[in-house]
Amino acid sequence: MALSETFKVRNQSDDLMKLGEIYRTFVQKGIEADPRGKERIDAILEDSKKGLEKLDGIKKELADKDVAWNPYTDCRILYGDEDREIKSILAGIDITPGEIVLADRMADKGKKIDLVLAHHPHGIGTSRLDVVMKLQPEQWAKFGVPIAQAESAMAARIKEVHFATKPRNHTQTRDAAKLIDMPFMCAHTPADSVGYQFLKDYLEEKNPYSLGDLIDVLLEIPEYQEGEKVGAGPEILVGSSKGTCGDKFVFFTGGTSPGPKAIKILARAGISTIITMHLTDALKKECEEEGIYVVIAGHDSSDSIGMNLILDEIEKKGVEVHACSGFFRHKRS
Ligand SMILES: [Fe+2]
C-alpha cells in the first residue's frame, strides 16, 4: 500500500473518525515531527519492508506487519478493529487495567468511552522500545556529533533496554481491554517528537539567557503550570539560576534515556544545557563532570504537550477527549 493511501484522511468532518484513522494520524504527525526527517524515515520503512519480505515460516506469520509503514513500535492499536467508530477517547499518560475499567464505568455516568489511549507504551511498544531509541544517534548527528560516535555511544544502552523490558508483562492491560471489548492503543514516540519540536521552536523564539529565565519561560506553558501545582514543575537539576543556557538540547524523544556515554559527546558537540523530562543518576553525574546544565521540565507535563497537539487535530474531527492518569488536556486550536 502506498504511503499516501495509508495516510488517507477523510475530508468530510461530519463522518465519525475510525480507530485506524486515529492511529494513522498519530503516526503521520510523528513522521512530520521526527528529527530524522521524512527522507530518512522513508528509507527506514523501506528497510523494514525488506526485512519482512526476508522472513519465512513461523517468524513471518508472527511478525508485526505494521513496521512496513509505521516506524514507531511504541505507537500501536493494542486492541480493537480499525473500523470501530470513535466518538470519545479517554487519554492518559500511564494506562493500567484500572483505567480500562474506569472507561467502562464512565458510561454509567453519562460519558461513553470508545477508545482508551495511553501515552506510555504497552505490548510491542515496550518489548521493542529499542527500535525507536535508534532515533537518538541520528538526532545528535544533527547537532554535530559524528554519527559513528553517536551510534557507538548508544549501542550498549539499546541492548540493555531491550533485555530490561523483555521480561515485563506486556499484555496485562491489553488483556483487560479485550475482556470488556474496549478499544485500546498507545502513542509514545510520535507525541514525544511533536512535543520536542514544539519546545525546541518555543525556546528558540523565547531565547532565555539564564537557567532562571529558562524556568520562567517554561512556566508560561499551561502544561508546566499544571506540573508546578503538584510540585512537579520545571526545576534546575544541574547548575544554578544565574547559569547561562548557551546551546540547548531538548531531550524529549527517542524512547527512553540514553546511556551515560551520550553526555560526553553532546558536550563535545557544543551542548551547554539539556532540557529533559527526567534523568538517571548516572546521566546526572556525567553532566556534572562534563559541565552540562540540566533542567528537568517535568515528566507528565512534557508528555502532555505532544499528546495535546495531536489530540487537537483529532478533536477537530469531532472526537471528544477526556483526560486521566497524569494527562493534562490543554487545547491550542
Ligand atoms: Fe514519558
Side-chain angles (χ1 to χ4, degrees):
M1 193 189 290
L3 262 186
S4 56
E5 234 176 284
T6 307
F7 292 127
K8 198 155 57 182
V9 179
R10 298 159 313 112
N11 290 321
Q12 294 157 308
S13 56
D14 49 347
D15 284 351
L16 285 177
M17 244 185 146
K18 300 227 166 94
L19 178 56
E21 195 180 341
I22 290 173
Y23 176 34
R24 281 164 175 73
T25 300
F26 270 94
V27 175
Q28 187 175 17
K29 294 287 167 195
I31 291 173
E32 285 166 11
D34 197 304
R36 292 170 291 191
K38 176 81 171 61
E39 211 175 300
R40 180 67 189 124
I41 297 299
D42 287 344
I44 289 167
L45 291 173
E46 219 29 67
D47 272 357
S48 298
K49 270 185 229 166
K50 283 180 193 155
L52 274 178
E53 282 158 18
K54 278 186 204 151
L55 293 174
D56 52 27
I58 192 73
K59 284 277 190 188
K60 191 182 185 86
E61 198 184 309
L62 300 177
D64 171 56
K65 313 293 187 300
D66 289 11
V67 295
W69 62 271
N70 171 1
Y72 312 110
T73 41
D74 55 357
C75 181
R76 283 287 182 282
I77 293 176
L78 300 152
Y79 172 74
D81 193 277
E82 289 204 17
D83 285 335
R84 295 273 287 251
E85 288 182 334
I86 307 297
K87 282 189 218 158
S88 68
I89 299 176
L90 179 65
I93 303 299
D94 299 295
I95 297 297
T96 68
E99 279 74 27
I100 300 290
V101 176
L102 171 68
D104 194 49
R105 287 284 293 115
M106 283 173 73
D108 292 344
K109 307 281 178 190
K111 287 175 183 163
K112 189 181 173 297
I113 299 297
D114 303 314
L115 168 66
V116 179
L117 171 66
H119 173 60
H120 285 147
H122 290 254
I124 203 163
T126 42
S127 63
R128 297 309 316 274
L129 194 63
D130 52 304
V131 171
V132 292
M133 290 176 75
K134 289 176 185 158
L135 175 156
Q136 295 188 51
E138 294 190 44
Q139 182 186 21
W140 307 340
K142 306 226 173 212
F143 284 84
V145 175
I147 188 68
Q149 284 184 22
E151 287 174 353
S152 305
M154 199 62 179
R157 174 67 177 154
I158 285 179
K159 195 169 178 183
E160 179 186 84
V161 169
H162 176 65
F163 282 99
T165 52
K166 206 176 173 82
R168 285 193 198 166
N169 185 332
H170 300 288
T171 63
Q172 182 180 26
T173 307
R174 185 209 65 186
D175 295 343
K178 201 171 165 184
L179 282 168
I180 59 169
D181 190 32
M182 174 62 72
F184 176 39
M185 69 168 275
C186 61
H188 187 229
T189 291
D192 282 349
S193 293
V194 167
Y196 159 76
Q197 295 291 356
F198 172 86
L199 201 62
K200 185 173 80 63
D201 294 349
Y202 177 81
L203 292 176
E204 272 168 21
E205 187 204 314
K206 295 277 178 176
N207 197 22
Y209 184 79
S210 69
L211 297 183
D213 297 338
L214 173 56
I215 298 288
D216 289 345
V217 298
L218 288 175
L219 278 173
E220 287 172 23
I221 297 174
E223 286 87 342
Y224 292 126
Q225 291 169 6
E226 210 59 28
E228 184 71 13
K229 284 185 204 166
V230 293
E235 209 168 332
I236 300 166
L237 177 69
V238 180
S240 64
S241 58
K242 294 270 183 247
T244 306
C245 294
D247 283 354
K248 298 175 273 305
F249 184 88
V250 177
F251 227 152
F252 268 22
T253 191
T256 188
S257 55
K261 283 183 181 170
I263 301 303
K264 200 171 274 160
I265 59 171
L266 284 170
R268 273 194 231 130
I271 298 299
S272 277
T273 299
I274 287 175
I275 299 104
T276 183
M277 301 189 196
H278 43 79
L279 203 76
T280 63
D281 281 346
L283 284 170
K284 174 180 172 262
K285 199 165 158 270
E286 281 296 314
C287 288
E288 285 165 343
E289 279 173 17
E290 292 299 325
I292 287 190
Y293 294 143
V294 181
V295 166
I296 302 292
H299 191 182
D300 289 351
S301 31
S302 299
D303 280 338
S304 292
I305 293 174
M307 292 291 279
N308 275 326
L309 289 162
I310 301 178
L311 285 168
D312 283 348
E313 299 302 311
I314 288 167
E315 270 204 339
K316 277 182 204 160
K317 292 177 182 167
V319 179
E320 198 175 65
V321 177
H322 302 274
C324 72
S325 186
F327 174 49
F328 168 65
R329 177 81 182 116
H330 171 73
K331 294 182 201 185
R332 288 182 170 77
S333 58

